[in-house]
């Protein structure tokens, strides 16, 4: 019997690089094939769905299974291609487990770009962007997105700001006080592409904070009086942004 | 030389059970003593701060160190006792690592009570409330709270709703569509004590969903069109609540 392969939360979705179109065949390999064949026990006739970030989401039927590969054929497009809101997350790197979480959650919360930034107080300087990509793909598959966020290579604070596109507003999560609460600031802010900008444990250096606050396209905001871990602050700011300015609105 | 013991993000704070008052001595034991003595290398004269959820936050000076204990003396109260907003989190249990994460983040985001609820689709049924307490204490210490959230024993969905205090509104994160966006719903809602109520992976059973939506004190809300993991939905809803109704406002 044919089955729709599912996991808790929905249909089994895979992100692939190949172009997708009616009757197009795609060979699933490596980790995805292992998952399909040995975890989900896929057999010919089973249905999954595929997306590649360009051609929308397609239903696909398993045609052939081998030991290490699985061939599927696209049948019908079930979602047109679409984009998440134009929101970036700029964040100071955190340790491995929080970094995994941050990437997964930011993907679910609908960011378009993840940009690590190395600030003066950043303790973690090695960023495993390959691991971030894998986490982002998995989270995109489970969240129903038809895109995967772009994971950028880390940049220094100074380089990042020097090359910053002036039309993109920065939502600066400022622990220094003396700024509007986040929801109020966002309700007053102009419609624009945005980036949530969060610092490392211990916050931005005073010179960095002053540099950010001096820029005309920066909106400093408060996330209340409790001290939030770096990843908590990032996720909270993304959620509030989506609820006020984004597609939860 | 005397030092203020700090970690990234601020002063070293410990939650203790003992009463706190001027010149009162407190013996720090077990894991906290290990941390103080062997990780932070505390010595007589060093300063930390203490809170117990009742007497505010006190500066305290290390007086004596032994192999397994450390005696500190309260000097001056630096924060009065205060409470976080009256917000509960009711959540279907998740696996170990996400559960640790959820407890820590919910504590940082300022919840007063964490209540696990066993729904029909809940896969994880064992809840380690002792581990949750330890995570909540650690997060409270790091976040600057002078309280630790109360961790309740799990209840079945039916029992929980049968005993629900009618004056406490339920912010029901409803994946079924057909409800207001979260920020808009919260702006229209009456001032009240609240509970964020989130389901397991795969969501609430249709009968549970109908039961929740039939209650007059329930506000069903949407967190957008992407599928969020259970812990992501909980944290996102807590952040938006704090930004609209809570102490980030």
């Amino acid at each position: 019997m044919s089955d729709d392969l599912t996991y808790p939360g929905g249909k089994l979705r895979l992100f692939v690089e190949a172009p997708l179109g009616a009757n197009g065949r795609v060979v699933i390999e490596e980790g995805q094939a292992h998952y399909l064949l040995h975890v989900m026990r896929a057999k010919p006739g089973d249905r999954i769905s595929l997306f590649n970030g360009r051609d929308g989401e397609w239903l696909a039927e398993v045609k052939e299974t081998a030991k290490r590969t699985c061939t599927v054929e696209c049948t019908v497009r079930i979602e047109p291609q679409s984009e998440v809101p134009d929101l970036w997350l700029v964040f100071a790197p955190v340790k491995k487990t929080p970094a995994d979480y941050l990437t997964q959650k930011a993907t679910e919360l609908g960011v378009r770009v993840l940009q690590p930034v190395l600030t003066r107080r950043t303790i973690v300087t090695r960023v495993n962007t390959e691991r971030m990509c894998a986490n982002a793909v998995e989270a995109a598959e489970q969240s129903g997105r038809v895109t995967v966020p772009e994971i950028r290579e880390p940049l220094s604070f100074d380089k990042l700001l020097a090359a910053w596109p002036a039309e993109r507003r920065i939502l600066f999560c400022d622990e220094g006080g003396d700024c509007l609460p986040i929801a109020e600031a966002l309700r007053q802010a102009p419609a624009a592409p945005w980036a949530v900008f969060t610092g490392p444990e211990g916050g931005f250096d005073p010179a960095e904070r002053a540099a950010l606050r001096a820029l005309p396209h920066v909106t400093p905001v408060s996330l209340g009086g409790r001290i939030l871990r770096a990843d908590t602050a990032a996720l909270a700011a993304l959620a509030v942004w989506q609820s006020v300015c984004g597609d939860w609105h």
Side-chain angles (χ1 to χ4, degrees), chain A:
Chain A
M1 249 188 55
S2 295
D3 282 316
D4 286 335
L5 296 182
T6 61
Y7 41 52
K11 183 164 23 65
L12 179 63
R13 306 170 78 242
L14 292 181
F15 172 76
V16 295
E17 297 286 348
L20 302 175
N23 308 315
R25 289 202 170 199
V26 178
V27 180
I28 312 289
E29 299 177 303
E30 302 193 352
Q32 289 182 323
H34 173 80
Y35 183 70
L36 260 185
L37 295 166
H38 304 300
V39 181
M40 301 301 289
R41 303 196 175 284
K43 50 194 186 314
D46 286 345
R47 281 180 298 266
I48 62 172
S49 79
L50 302 177
F51 65 106
N52 62 5
R54 307 182 303 276
D55 300 321
E57 180 170 349
W58 286 77
L59 271 189
E61 192 177 297
V62 175
K63 288 294 180 187
E64 289 164 23
T65 59
K67 196 173 169 196
R68 290 205 175 77
T69 64
C70 178
T71 303
V72 302
E73 185 177 293
C74 292
T75 55
V76 62
R77 195 171 77 159
I78 52 175
E79 287 290 337
Q81 186 58 34
S82 63
E83 247 306 357
V84 295
D86 194 355
L87 177 63
W88 295 3
L89 173 62
V90 178
F91 67 101
V94 289
K95 283 180 288 185
K96 196 167 110 176
T97 307
D100 289 351
Y101 256 96
L102 183 59
T103 307
Q104 290 163 12
K105 304 301 181 217
T107 303
E108 293 171 62
L109 293 172
V111 303
R112 204 178 274 197
V113 167
L114 280 129
Q115 170 70 64
V117 59
L118 305 174
T119 68
R120 290 185 204 176
R121 291 187 185 158
T122 301
I123 294 160
V124 177
T125 52
R126 193 176 162 271
V127 180
N128 188 338
T129 48
E130 208 171 305
R131 187 182 174 100
M132 283 181 68
C133 287
N135 274 310
V137 164
E138 195 189 324
E141 288 172 348
Q142 298 201 12
S143 73
R145 284 176 66 145
V146 290
T147 52
V148 172
E150 180 189 344
I151 311 293
R152 299 212 173 150
E153 289 300 321
L155 282 177
S156 74
F157 181 87
D158 293 340
K159 274 198 184 150
L160 181 68
L161 282 200
W164 192 264
E167 72 282 4
R168 181 171 300 274
R169 294 202 65 82
I170 291 176
L171 187 70
F172 167 34
C173 300
D174 186 358
E175 294 173 274
D178 172 33
C179 42
L180 282 178
I182 181 168
E184 194 177 338
L186 284 173
R187 279 198 295 271
Q188 296 176 9
W194 280 89
V196 163
F197 208 106
T198 57
E201 305 292 327
F204 290 98
D205 176 89
E208 291 169 339
R209 180 171 178 250
L212 276 169
R213 290 186 63 124
L215 292 172
H217 48 277
V218 168
T219 301
V221 295
S222 159
L223 295 174
R226 284 173 295 279
I227 297 163
L228 303 180
R229 281 190 178 87
D231 54 329
T232 313
L235 300 178
L238 293 175
V240 175
W241 188 90
Q242 286 290 11
S243 78
V244 177
C245 305
D247 62 6
W248 296 5
H249 184 52

